[in-house]
Amino acid sequence: MSWPERPSDPDVQRLALPSGALALTDEGQGPTVLAIHGLPGSRFDFRYLAPATPRARFLRVDLPGFGDSPTASCGPTAAAHAALLMEALDVLSVGSVALLAHSFGAGIAAHLASHLGDRARGLAVL
């Protein structure tokens, strides 16, 4: 695997979810990977990984209050953020997903994985 010379910066999608609005990017095809940034951070933290994993669908989110996501009506806890991301996965019709998370995102990913059950293919935390 060679490291890409340029990052990937696809157009931002904005989802209106019951728990609040969420901005994300969605690129590639194949098994889905959801990248969850830490604090502070945004979807840009993972922008070199999508081109490095061309056989995967790569979702990168801006957590509420970061990047292009406004502060959501969900609470500030990892569990509340995980519930918001579960809503996003359902709206995007994502079946199984591998979770990749950094810092505060790791707690969110752990909550999300516990609620996804068999839909969670893996969990990697940094």
Side-chain angles (χ1 to χ4, degrees):
M1 177 178 93
S2 63
W3 198 250
E5 290 183 27
R6 294 183 181 190
S8 175
D9 289 317
D11 292 337
V12 176
Q13 296 181 24
R14 290 173 176 80
L15 301 178
L17 303 167
S19 295
L22 187 70
L24 60 90
T25 59
D26 183 350
E27 60 189 302
Q29 295 180 358
T32 303
V33 175
L34 174 63
I36 307 167
H37 65 82
L39 298 180
S42 73
R43 69 184 184 279
F44 292 114
D45 294 352
F46 297 100
R47 64 191 183 146
Y48 279 91
L49 291 179
T53 54
R55 291 179 285 221
R57 178 184 184 192
F58 212 81
L59 302 174
R60 295 181 287 141
V61 298
D62 282 335
L63 293 173
F66 295 89
D68 288 317
S69 289
T71 301
S73 58
C74 76
T77 65
H81 283 79
L84 179 69
L85 294 179
M86 177 77 89
E87 291 174 13
L89 292 174
D90 290 341
V91 165
L92 294 169
S93 300
V94 173
S96 64
V97 62
L99 304 169
L100 171 63
H102 172 253
S103 184
F104 177 70
I108 296 169
H111 278 281
L112 184 55
S114 70
H115 286 89
L116 285 170
D118 290 342
R119 287 176 64 189
R121 286 192 335 274
L123 171 62
V125 295
L126 308 170

